[in-house]
Amino acid sequence: MTDPFSENLIALLPNLRRFALSLTRRPDLADDLVQITAERAFAARGRYDPSVRLDAWLFRILRNAFIDMTRRDKVRGVSVDVYDTPEAATVDGASVTETALMLGSAQEAMARLPDEQRQVMILICVEEMSYAEAAEVLGIPTGTVMSRLSRARLAVAQMLGIK
Amino acid sequence: MDITDETLMAFADGELAEPEASELAQRIAADPDLAARVAMFRQTRDMFAKMPADPVPDALADRIRAMAEPPALSNVVPMRRRVPLWQLPAAAAVALAVGLGAGLSLVPSGGTDLAVLDSLPSGEARDGVTAVATFRIASGDLCREFEAGGMISVACRTDDGWQTRLAVATGGEGYAPVSGVEALDAWLAGVEAGDPLDPEAEASVLR
């Protein structure tokens, strides 16, 4: 016995977790963040404005939960960069572009981006939010979103050998 | 006259306002280097679009699904309390179905003359009021569930006549804090509403 709000929220759980991973880089903390987000969302559902994208609303809650988490120093100092790879991009550009950029390579390039750049990439290029929506989720100016996003795209293009 | 990467990216993403976008489009059409730059930004977006996310762990999904279940309060009210609503004429039932997504509001009866509740048997309509059910609440007050003016309401009899205690809108759309029926159930549980009176018992308390 669920309602549209609950169903839509549950359908977005993988997206929320992916965004949480981009913030924490730790699966256990990402799961905690998703659960906290769901708890807060259900508690605040009366304040949800349907004219706002539900995912943007949930992502914003998740990011605030992440800030609360870092404030309590439960992330800083224990963070492990699970995606951290010391070597620079080793993808062979020619072969990748010829095979229409396999999903795996794209994800690998994404994982190698600095956290701030990966977050805007996820919100805008993967979740297809507008610059303004991403700025609202991240609590930063639109201009900052744009500068991070363009640097991220240039880096991805370089890693994957896109001219 | 340099065009920044950010401007080209905004153009590629459809985020550039007019008339800048049209002006830039002309320059891009005449400049293969700019066109290649825009293509690069398009490509680095398209390759990630609709990228599937990994499913969440089952344990996490189960915990969150449990949150989505209605609160335990709803279990206090047996579902048979809702039966009278579904015995309404078809038109009223449709109105209620529309109202499932409607919110809860506490409003006065909005000009509806509730005196009709003194004598109107449940299941019948008169003067724009359709009586749904009659029941007593824990305080001993006699209450009636009825539909009028696009609202499903509950009014209880007092020395000063019928007073509306709860009204659930049957219009509207979009996400509601709680569905109309859930709100009604929650209220009925809160006042410990008894089972609906049968027609004979109802007739004995109506005038």
Side-chain angles (χ1 to χ4, degrees):
Chain A
M1 178 169 167
T2 52
D3 52 283
F5 178 90
S6 302
E7 285 170 19
N8 293 337
L9 186 152
I10 287 167
L12 285 168
L13 291 179
N15 306 68
L16 285 166
R17 186 159 177 274
R18 173 163 58 192
F19 181 53
L21 275 170
S22 81
L23 294 170
T24 70
R25 289 183 170 239
R26 277 185 42 177
D28 56 338
L29 293 179
D31 288 357
D32 286 352
L33 273 179
V34 170
Q35 179 161 347
I36 293 166
T37 300
E39 285 167 359
R40 291 185 183 182
F42 280 119
R45 61 186 291 178
R47 295 197 294 278
Y48 169 62
D49 172 2
S51 70
V52 175
R53 280 175 56 158
L54 180 63
D55 57 352
W57 186 72
L58 293 170
F59 278 40
R60 174 81 199 215
I61 292 174
L62 191 149
R63 184 184 166 274
N64 288 341
F66 172 69
I67 291 171
D68 292 345
M69 200 182 248
T70 54
R71 203 174 281 136
R72 293 195 307 267
D73 273 337
K74 287 194 175 171
V75 171
R76 285 207 180 112
V78 294
S79 170
V80 177
D81 284 354
V82 293
Y83 295 108
D84 196 21
T85 45
E87 75 270 30
T90 55
V91 181
D92 175 45
S95 67
V96 170
T97 46
E98 288 310 307
T99 50
L101 303 162
M102 294 91 70
L103 198 61
S105 302
Q107 281 177 326
E108 196 175 334
M110 175 85 91
R112 288 181 179 170
L113 291 173
D115 289 359
E116 291 181 341
Q117 293 180 23
R118 193 172 56 258
Q119 287 155 21
V120 293
M121 282 293 283
I122 286 176
L123 294 179
I124 292 165
C125 295
V126 180
E127 303 293 350
E128 302 184 335
M129 291 185 194
S130 68
Y131 295 172
E133 284 165 339
E136 170 69 16
V137 167
L138 295 172
I140 57 178
T142 306
T144 308
V145 167
M146 290 176 69
S147 62
R148 286 180 189 173
L149 186 63
S150 68
R151 274 184 278 130
R153 307 259 279 268
L154 291 168
V156 166
Q158 192 184 10
M159 277 189 253
L160 297 181
I162 302 168
K163 188 203 166 293
Chain B
M1 291 296 281
D2 272 0
I3 298 173
T4 66
D5 277 335
E6 286 177 27
T7 302
L8 289 171
M9 178 185 73
F11 177 82
D13 290 348
E15 291 256 4
L16 203 61
E18 295 292 352
E20 288 79 7
S22 298
E23 290 165 9
L24 186 54
Q26 290 179 1
R27 291 191 57 177
I28 291 167
D31 188 334
D33 289 341
L34 286 182
R37 206 82 177 148
V38 169
M40 181 274 292
F41 278 119
R42 289 221 171 97
Q43 204 175 344
T44 52
R45 179 188 185 108
D46 292 347
M47 63 195 290
F48 292 107
K50 311 280 188 218
M51 192 164 73
D54 294 334
V56 299
D58 288 342
L60 176 64
D62 288 346
R63 285 198 296 276
I64 292 170
R65 278 199 197 91
M67 292 179 208
E69 294 296 317
L73 183 65
S74 297
N75 299 331
V76 176
V77 182
M79 285 310 286
R80 65 176 182 275
R81 262 295 307 130
R82 298 263 52 80
V83 169
L85 287 171
W86 304 112
Q87 292 173 346
L88 286 171
V94 168
L96 177 64
V98 170
L100 288 176
L104 162 70
S105 60
L106 293 167
V107 297
S109 53
T112 304
D113 183 3
L114 297 181
V116 68
L117 293 176
D118 277 325
S119 58
L120 184 65
S122 293
E124 293 187 23
R126 190 191 310 154
D127 299 335
V129 175
T130 302
V132 175
T134 305
F135 54 90
R136 288 194 184 278
I137 61 177
S139 65
D141 288 347
L142 186 74
C143 301
R144 303 206 68 189
E145 186 175 317
F146 63 98
E147 189 176 335
M151 311 284 281
I152 301 230
S153 308
V154 176
C156 299
R157 192 156 69 184
T158 70
D159 292 339
D160 298 324
W162 293 93
Q163 286 189 345
T164 302
R165 299 288 176 87
L166 172 107
V168 178
T170 58
E173 54 186 10
Y175 294 106
V178 60
S179 83
V181 168
E182 281 173 33
L184 198 52
D185 274 338
W187 186 85
L188 292 169
V191 299
E192 296 179 37
D195 286 347
L197 302 182
D198 60 41
E200 285 165 13
E202 182 183 79
S204 71
V205 297
L206 298 180
R207 295 157 190 166

